[in-house]
Amino acid sequence: MAAALEGVRVLDLSRVLAGPWSTQILADLGADVLKIETPGRGDDTRAWGPPYLKGPDGTDELGESAYYLSCNRNKRSLAVDLASKSGSDLIRRLAAEADIVVENFKVGGLAKYGLDAASLHAINPRLVYCSITGFGQTGPYTQRGGYDFVAQGQGGFMSVTGEADGGPLRAGVAMADLSTGLYATVSILAALRHAERTGEGQHIDISLLDTQIAMLANQGMSYLVGGVVPGRLGNRHPTVVPYKTFEVADGVIIIAVGNDGQFRLLCDELGLAGVADDPRFARSRDRLANRDAIEGIVQDAVRALPGKPLIERLTARGIPAGPVNRLDEVFADPFVAARGTVHRFRRADGVEIPSVAFPAKLSATPADMRRAPPKTGEGGAEALGEWLGLDASGYDSLKASGAFG
């Protein structure tokens, strides 16, 4: 069965997370992704540990951090010295054969090597060239470095995240990077469709800050529409009540009532006679105006009840509810086995590499878990043979020229 992106070649000049997250998605869907790394150290995230993957002798493999492994499967690696003439020449040759280039250098950082969008489009007019930066190719902050933490703060996300009486809080994973990677992938696929139809490539300019502001969603629109500057609400929802975590006898669970019908079911299941008809709580807007009162009533009703049986009771009635799991509990959930959420690669040396699989299930062109994340340079010679027709002597000539550092 042919993969959705079979035959599409991606030259990946990105590192850390937003770019590699995007190119991993493309690779999962069948694209041939060649990851260009810095000779010696490779992608910065190779060293971002511990934890590191255990080698065949049981010791840590430096350069195989969990962070790196999370976003680089299904790729081949080639270590190239971009600063050398032979190295930049090699990248131009590869770009001439590529359909997509993804890079996350600082604005203008690749121009000095002749690897910027304009230079590569002169070689390959149909090329989809995606630049991921912290603040975009234009605007007042173009020369600033791009970091997820900064984008979460500057983009307003941290002002609405955390407890009401606490300080600003970033998300526990790099949400600005990850969402930028997703938006980049959507944009790349749209541009690829255009290039296939017209032969015209284009330059995609996407930034962490643009994306983080877009991801404010309803919170951002609350300000634009109503002048409301939302604050931190902990686990409460800004407009839907009751919709939060509640203490139960053995921990904490989530109850997320999304409409008036679900609220009546909740009251019935918890034996809260008359509460659903109380004019303070009958409608969504009434419950919002009387948030503390209704949340207190629900909390009193569930405090002495064990969580798991309560969740089962509520979900059986169509009331959204669930646990607050630790990661060991997440990966022990029967959902994970049933949905094939974890894929395990096995290298030739016997080392097993777990990976969280591509989440969407495509009926005709499913994602393909075919390659474990590469070691630095792994698969590079093979890719050069396929992309450029280089044999062993051609590879040795490049090596002698200093292209590989």
Side-chain angles (χ1 to χ4, degrees), residues 245 252-255 307-308 311 315 321-326 329 333:
T245 51
V252 174
I253 70 167
I254 295 165
I255 300 175
K308 186 175 180 180
I311 291 170
T315 55
V324 180
N325 284 334
R326 302 185 309 269
E329 295 170 318
D333 193 304

Side-chain angles (χ1 to χ4, degrees), residues 180-236:
T180 299
L182 288 169
Y183 269 101
T185 305
V186 171
S187 303
I188 287 167
L189 293 176
L192 182 64
R193 176 71 182 99
H194 175 77
E196 290 172 341
R197 187 173 64 246
T198 68
E200 178 188 34
Q202 57 186 295
H203 187 194
I204 299 168
D205 168 12
I206 184 168
S207 80
L208 301 186
L209 187 55
D210 279 314
T211 303
Q212 182 60 86
I213 294 170
M215 292 293 288
L216 292 175
N218 58 300
Q219 295 282 50
M221 193 58 67
S222 291
Y223 173 73
L224 293 175
V225 169
V228 176
V229 179
R232 289 179 288 276
L233 292 172
N235 290 318
R236 289 171 153 181

Side-chain angles (χ1 to χ4, degrees), residues 233 236-241 287-296:
L233 292 172
R236 289 171 153 181
H237 193 283
T239 56
V240 183
V241 180
R287 293 192 297 278
L288 181 60
N290 296 281
R291 180 197 291 272
D292 291 342
I294 188 56
E295 289 178 347

Side-chain angles (χ1 to χ4, degrees), residues 14-26:
S14 69
R15 63 273 192 215
V16 186
L17 186 54
W21 195 254
S22 174
T23 55
Q24 178 171 266
I25 294 170
L26 297 172

